[in-house]
Amino acid sequence: MPRAGIVTLAGRPNAGKSTLLNRLVGEQLSITSPKPQSTRDRVVGILSRDLPEPTQLIFFDTPGLFEPNDELQHTMRTAARTALADADVILYVADATKGVPPPLHEAAALATPPRSPVITVLNKIDRLPPATLATLRGEARAGESYAISALTGEGVDALIDVLAARLPESPFLYAADDVSTQPVRFFVAEFIREAALEQLNEELPYSVAVQVDEFRETGTPAYIRAIVYVEHESQKAILVGKGGTRIREIGRAARVRIERLIERPVYLDLWAKVLPNWRRDAAALRRLGYGIEKGR
Ligand code: GDP
Ligand code: MG
């Protein structure tokens, strides 16, 4: 009998969840960034393999589980808890350079430990001197704790085996060659947001949201119109740049990534708009796709 189930990633911002997901699934699915909490939506990646037995791992991300402090974070946290409850196994990712982590439910301020089994990974071991790593391995709570590097891939294959063994016997839930169930539009919005975060440096990272308004794949190039939302006029001025140079550069960087994804030329029509206080406005959040939905 094959195995299939849900693996939910959890961990502090910057622990390396997105990097690990990309490594596990082998595709650039979830955006990675040196800035905390750049991934606002739960991203699904799927890993299917035949050996040693047919197994399908379906990955969920849980942005916002840590530190809720405004409406956006609250919405994200609710979605994250749903993902935890739905998990067959929880993959708790911690930054090994910060020492042995507290248990997940303490770190995430959950009232009780999650019901699903938690596997803790100590990530970024490539950054530890050998002696420190040896000590850390010793200190790590006995049982379900694994030292890995999402960046180099060290320990990741062994981790996949551990996760696979925890999944229930079940037929595959998705086609074996699917890497993700997210629509292309979602990735288009993510690529634009990623390009904007890169270009804007530290100036307004969390005030940016992207909505894909129109996506016509029939012509060549494909036509995509998207809006980058910010909260204030002053932010819009920064986003657009002198004579529109900055938003053009953001559009160019995003277009290259989108073209690689859909494998055809793209005309990206990018607009900047002010949507005051969108981060605190539940209706605006829903419109921008940050709604609370069950994953299945
Ligand atoms: P997330 O917020 O948990 O999704 O973390 P990200 O995957 O976005 O990673 C945050 C930062 O840590 C990025 O700059 C990554 O390149 C870096 N990072 C992630 N995993 C590793 C790792 O195994 N080793 C090293 N050296 N850096 C890592
Ligand atoms: Mg992330």
Side-chain angles (χ1 to χ4, degrees):
M1 186 69 175
R3 291 175 186 277
I6 307 273
V7 179
T8 295
L9 292 135
R12 283 197 185 289
N14 261 358
K17 299 178 295 298
S18 300
T19 309
L20 179 57
L21 183 64
N22 291 343
R23 166 70 57 181
L24 288 162
V25 179
E27 295 269 347
Q28 270 311 113
L29 285 180
S30 178
I31 69 167
T32 59
S33 146
K35 301 176 189 71
Q37 300 199 5
S38 59
T39 316
R40 286 195 181 120
D41 300 74
R42 286 187 291 153
V43 175
V44 182
I46 302 169
L47 173 62
S48 305
R49 61 173 200 180
D50 281 330
L51 296 169
E53 60 180 344
T55 307
Q56 185 167 67
L57 298 87
I58 298 150
F59 295 99
F60 277 50
D61 203 354
T62 56
L65 184 59
F66 293 78
E67 291 141 346
N69 51 30
D70 62 18
E71 185 69 32
L72 172 64
Q73 296 256 347
H74 180 74
T75 304
M76 289 161 68
R77 194 171 153 86
T78 308
R81 287 161 99 155
T82 306
L84 283 187
D86 282 351
D88 290 303
V89 51
I90 296 166
L91 186 53
Y92 173 31
V93 184
D95 184 341
T97 65
K98 301 196 154 77
V100 177
L104 173 63
H105 68 279
E106 271 176 32
L110 301 171
T112 53
R115 266 177 300 129
S116 316
V118 178
I119 289 178
T120 304
V121 295
L122 306 169
N123 186 34
K124 309 196 188 184
I125 57 168
D126 58 289
R127 290 184 55 197
L128 297 180
T132 315
L133 178 56
T135 313
L136 188 74
R137 284 191 207 268
E139 282 173 13
R141 262 172 302 285
E144 306 281 25
S145 210
Y146 299 85
I148 66 155
S149 168
L151 201 63
T152 68
E154 188 182 350
V156 173
D157 283 340
L159 176 65
I160 293 174
D161 293 338
V162 169
L163 295 172
R166 291 305 197 116
L167 298 185
E169 291 192 333
S170 155
F172 280 13
L173 305 172
Y174 294 95
D177 56 359
D178 273 2
V179 289
S180 168
T181 59
Q182 296 279 1
V184 171
R185 257 173 198 258
F186 167 82
F187 290 108
V188 167
E190 282 290 272
F191 288 157
I192 295 168
R193 202 158 57 81
E194 184 182 47
L197 294 189
E198 280 167 15
Q199 302 272 335
L200 296 169
N201 298 313
E202 302 294 324
E203 287 168 271
L204 29 118
Y206 306 129
S207 305
V208 173
V210 175
Q211 184 172 43
V212 175
D213 246 18
E214 197 173 335
F215 191 163
R216 268 187 278 131
E217 277 199 275
T218 44
T220 304
Y223 175 81
I224 299 172
R225 191 179 60 226
I227 301 169
V228 183
Y229 286 104
V230 288
E231 293 188 281
H232 307 290
E233 283 297 337
S234 59
Q235 295 175 332
K236 183 176 162 185
I238 294 171
L239 174 69
V240 170
K242 255 206 192 82
T245 45
R246 203 175 225 159
I247 194 161
R248 268 204 300 280
E249 189 48 38
I250 291 168
R252 196 201 54 76
R255 181 177 51 77
V256 170
R257 281 166 221 180
I258 298 166
E259 287 178 338
R260 219 179 294 141
L261 177 75
I262 68 173
E263 298 182 322
R264 49 191 309 201
V266 165
Y267 181 85
L268 179 59
D269 197 6
L270 205 53
W271 295 84
K273 273 194 190 164
V274 176
L275 185 58
N277 298 323
W278 70 262
R279 285 161 57 86
R280 277 172 290 285
D281 177 346
L285 287 173
R286 256 196 313 281
R287 226 164 33 244
L288 291 166
Y290 298 126
I292 310 152
E293 280 165 333
K294 288 280 273 187
R296 28 166 204 175

